[in-house]
Amino acid sequence: MSKKAPLYTGNSWLGAVSEVQDTPLELYPRIHQQLGPVVRVKLIPFMEMISVASPEAMEHVLRKHQNNYPKPSVFTRALSPLTGRGLITNETHNWATQRKLMGPSFHHRQIARMVHIMAEDTMSMAEIWRKQDGQIRDVLEDMMFLTLNIVSRALFSTDVMSGAGTISVAVRDAFAYAGYRLKTPFSLGELLTGRRKRAFKQAKRLLDDTIADMIGQRLESGEVGEDMLGLLLAARDEETGKGMDTLQLRDELMTLMIAGHETTAAALSWSFYLLAKHPETWKKLQAAADGFTLPDISDTIRFDIPDYAKWVFEESMRLYPPAWGVPRESLEVDEIHGFHIPKKTVINCSLYAMFRDPQIWEEPEAFKPERFADSQVAERPRYASIPFGLGKRQCIGMNMALVEGPLILTLLAQQVQLHLPEGTEKVSVDATFALRPQDSLEMRIEKRK
């Protein structure tokens, strides 16, 4: 008979709900290092959740027994006002059909064809930066701007450059409201969120209009196209022969546009932050980048990004994983690491805690891109680093992000070096959804000669 996991009761007699809401990045590594890979967390009296943080537990929940662990309703209710029933929040029977339909757009050959778009937009950003040699820029805002335009051009053949900044602000406001709903699902918050709700409605209206314009322009052109938007417009149900309805099309495009740039922008921002704090690593990246030449557009299928740029990107996602926690809920009774998992219990798969576990990672707080060399990866447990999740719900954009992120790092490292302004010791972290710098990431541009 399985036993109960150790219990963390929190610093208040009420429970740990305030710590879960306000300081999760401090809480989860601490309780897992103290109590082990499976921990019960008392939220409020008579309400618990379970947090897991080991490769074996991740494999159990997210891959081997994934059908017993769907996303919890508290998560989907918070995000669905923005993304509807897109891939992230859809738990209905047609999720598998949607995933299967969209999958081909993220296969290696398709992503290789996007490389010239990634390169063009990155070099445009590099040109802007080089003209502002010695000046301070908000790198988070620039990465949001850059990745948004890349995903819009690569997946929807739409250039949003003129409105990218406004769209990124709208995404931030929408996520802020969704995050508030997620943190306060049982409070009177819905009655007290006038400012947040107004900002959300305004942001959603702008994002909806942007999506509607994409669809309208494509339909007016009379051409379906071969990109993601074209695939979705041409899709037909195997049984009924009907196409995707307007609402479902909107939900999928919204999900792809938001998730396709927010997470990559966050990971790139942290990469530049960590590189600026480690000048020797910057030099290694520049040395690797200077030996890279982007092939002709017709030959991008065979291009190779420097390994060191890939290592930098992956190590940045280890220290600051965009998806820092993966929420699930048990449908039936289960057992993990010999501990009892009750039915209908919210499970937090704490990637952040696992990625900083000293039993898995030597000097876990240190920034060491060489950890991701093949020889070192082979020495760790198979699922020690899973920033894109596992199983059927693994991020559909993983392959695209693992090309886009290192490519942007490589091309920008050839052109500039970034420095943190004097006096910058630490950057505050926003853990609302994608783990990103709080508000901004100011850095000084230095043009390479």
Side-chain angles (χ1 to χ4, degrees), residues 80-152:
S80 58
L82 176 61
T83 60
R85 288 190 174 182
L87 277 184
I88 292 178
T89 50
N90 190 352
E91 289 289 342
T92 65
H93 68 282
N94 71 338
W95 175 88
T97 301
Q98 295 300 106
R99 174 84 181 208
K100 183 178 179 181
L101 172 68
M102 298 161 69
S105 290
F106 295 97
H107 288 171
H108 177 73
R109 295 187 68 87
Q110 289 295 105
I111 293 170
R113 294 188 180 99
M114 302 175 188
V115 166
H116 69 282
I117 294 175
M118 299 175 185
E120 285 175 359
D121 286 351
T122 302
M123 294 311 293
S124 294
M125 180 62 68
E127 184 178 354
I128 293 172
W129 280 5
R130 286 176 64 85
K131 289 179 179 177
Q132 298 192 1
D133 183 29
Q135 297 188 32
I136 301 292
R137 287 191 66 90
D138 182 352
V139 170
L140 173 62
E141 181 179 334
D142 284 344
M143 291 301 102
M144 295 283 285
F145 182 91
L146 173 60
T147 57
L148 175 60
N149 206 54
I150 287 174
V151 77
S152 299

Side-chain angles (χ1 to χ4, degrees), residues 247-303:
L247 181 59
Q248 186 66 49
L249 180 60
R250 174 263 178 211
D251 291 347
E252 299 299 357
L253 294 180
M254 180 73 77
T255 299
L256 289 168
M257 185 175 72
I258 292 173
H261 89 280
E262 170 89 359
T263 52
T264 306
L268 284 165
S269 298
W270 290 121
S271 297
F272 285 121
Y273 167 74
L274 290 164
L275 287 165
K277 289 179 70 69
H278 299 83
E280 292 303 314
T281 307
W282 247 122
K283 292 179 182 178
K284 292 179 181 179
L285 175 62
Q286 288 173 335
D290 289 344
F292 173 76
T293 302
L294 192 71
D296 183 82
I297 290 176
S298 62
D299 195 38
T300 51
I301 195 70
R302 288 186 291 272
F303 81 103

Side-chain angles (χ1 to χ4, degrees), residues 408-422:
I408 290 172
L409 288 175
T410 298
L411 296 177
L412 291 178
Q414 290 178 340
Q415 301 292 323
V416 299
Q417 183 159 343
L418 302 181
H419 303 273
L420 290 168
E422 289 187 16

